[in-house]
Amino acid sequence: MSQQEVRVAGSVRAATAARVTEGGQVAVTRCRIGLVGAGRAAARHASTLARFHDVSIVGVTDCDLAAAARLAADCDATVAPTVGALLALRPDAVFVCVPPFAHGPIEEELLDAGLPIFVETPLGVDREVPDLLARRVASAGVVTAVGHHWRYSAAVRRAGAVLAGRPIRLVTGSWLDSVDTAGWWGRRDRSGGPIVEQVVHLLDLLRALAGEVVEVYAAGDGTPPPGVADADIDGVTAATLRFASGAVATLATTCRFTGRRRAGLEIFADGASVTITEDGCEIRVGDRSEWHAVDAETSYRAADRAFVDAIRRPEARVGVLADYAQAVRTHRLACALTRSAAEGRALRLRTD
Ligand SMILES: NC(=O)c1ccc[n+]([C@@H]2O[C@H](COP(=O)([O-])OP(=O)(O)OC[C@H]3O[C@@H](n4cnc5c(N)ncnc54)[C@H](O)[C@@H]3O)[C@@H](O)[C@H]2O)c1
């Protein structure tokens, strides 16, 4: 049995063991979760996980100890000053919710310990760290998940079913939004830029529904969004993408608005079209059209639940719709678009 199989077996045992109390009730041993990062993403996961009857958040660490202490107090967990101290609390799995520039050493330490990891998007600022970690994940063989929650929407799954078997011809995507308030957001070397940090969710959906992209050309406006100190990111980017299937896509993105105007895709296939936004999904087949509401909260919850289930039961691993290996492909696409805009030329992508 490999080290990873031992770890998974250990986790399953820990998570599913039940003991009979003196009163005769069956008490389920909870899955022990640790959090690295105590900002907004971690708080949302904490609030979702707290509603699962079979999960305990055992510890929180953050380089800002005060932030770790606040979130730990909210979820009745222990403050851990370092990742090592978090590991000493014997978590069954860890959520990594740090900004793009902070990925790398954290995941390495967790993988060295053989722990399943849920990593928030994006996986890094460029390809270097995620490519390295993808190799580490493959050799560790642990359960991984990445926060591409749109994949978990029932409406998106329905759209995928309608599109199956119909050649997709054209996709138009747009992400028209504002600058995130986080101080690291406006710097390429901190966030990776808006395509990597924000639009990556659309790119993941695009891959999930239309397949792999083989060529990209992107143009940035070379003008940072106004009012953002030290920003060096493009405020606007337009791009074209060619899929392995022969389909083509356009993508229009900006972070110059105040508030989000739109984030979504329109997919045109033979005999059907699909429009997906954060609110809902319109599916048109011939003359008929149906509308399905998309509830982001339900998708966030489903993503967390799928990860916890995969830790507890090996057969539930198939429920993780975006693992690290899958997400690194989406990340490479985002990096290719960013690089194409920076270098002003079309780039071909490998799909193996
Ligand atoms: N999947 C989604 O829909 C979604 C939603 C929100 C955020 N996110 C992603 O989650 C990540 C975090 O976003 P956020 O909004 O929580 O940011 P944030 O700035 O609110 O919080 C990040 C936290 O990480 C901590 N941190 C930074 N470096 C660290 C390190 N080396 N070790 C430990 N802690 C460290 C910071 O002190 C901070 O408390 C971002 O990459 C963001 O894009 C994804």
Side-chain angles (χ1 to χ4, degrees), residues 36-45 61-64 67-68 83 96-103 106 120-122 146-150 180 182-185 197-198 201 300:
V36 182
R40 296 161 298 174
R44 201 194 53 239
H45 284 296
T61 186
D62 192 297
C63 57
D64 175 351
V83 173
V96 181
C97 307
V98 296
F101 64 84
H103 290 284
I106 297 165
E120 256 312 342
T121 57
V146 174
H148 284 304
H149 59 277
W150 283 34
D180 188 281
W184 43 265
W185 211 86
E197 219 286 332
Q198 207 168 48
H201 291 291
Y300 283 127

Side-chain angles (χ1 to χ4, degrees), residues 127 212-215 329 332 347-352:
R127 282 191 53 164
E212 298 298 346
V213 173
V214 292
E215 189 178 25
R329 300 173 83 97
R332 286 177 193 147
L347 294 176
R348 287 196 67 78
L349 279 78
R350 289 173 49 172
T351 54
D352 53 354

Side-chain angles (χ1 to χ4, degrees), residues 101-260:
F101 64 84
H103 290 284
I106 297 165
E107 288 92 333
E108 287 192 295
E109 197 169 347
L110 298 172
L111 291 170
D112 282 347
L115 278 187
I117 50 174
F118 185 118
V119 182
E120 256 312 342
T121 57
L123 305 178
V125 290
D126 56 23
R127 282 191 53 164
E128 191 182 340
V129 165
D131 278 354
L132 174 87
L133 288 175
R135 289 194 292 275
R136 294 289 302 273
V137 163
S139 60
V142 295
V143 174
T144 60
V146 174
H148 284 304
H149 59 277
W150 283 34
R151 284 191 184 230
Y152 293 85
S153 155
V156 169
R157 279 206 305 280
R158 171 87 186 110
V162 168
L163 291 170
R166 298 178 187 274
I168 291 173
R169 306 292 176 185
L170 172 70
V171 183
T172 67
S174 52
W175 193 296
L176 313 176
D177 206 341
S178 52
V179 171
D180 188 281
T181 53
W184 43 265
W185 211 86
R187 299 281 313 172
R188 286 166 197 259
D189 61 350
R190 310 293 277 167
S191 68
I195 306 275
V196 165
E197 219 286 332
Q198 207 168 48
V199 183
V200 70
H201 291 291
L202 270 196
L203 298 175
D204 187 64
L205 202 52
L206 197 130
R207 281 190 56 247
L209 294 172
E212 298 298 346
V213 173
V214 292
E215 189 178 25
V216 297
Y217 174 67
D221 69 345
T223 307
V228 186
D230 294 332
D232 66 352
I233 55 175
D234 287 329
V236 172
T237 304
T240 56
L241 301 85
R242 184 183 302 282
F243 293 83
S245 68
V248 288
T250 65
L251 190 64
T253 78
T254 180
C255 56
R256 290 183 69 97
F257 282 126
T258 44
R260 185 172 298 173

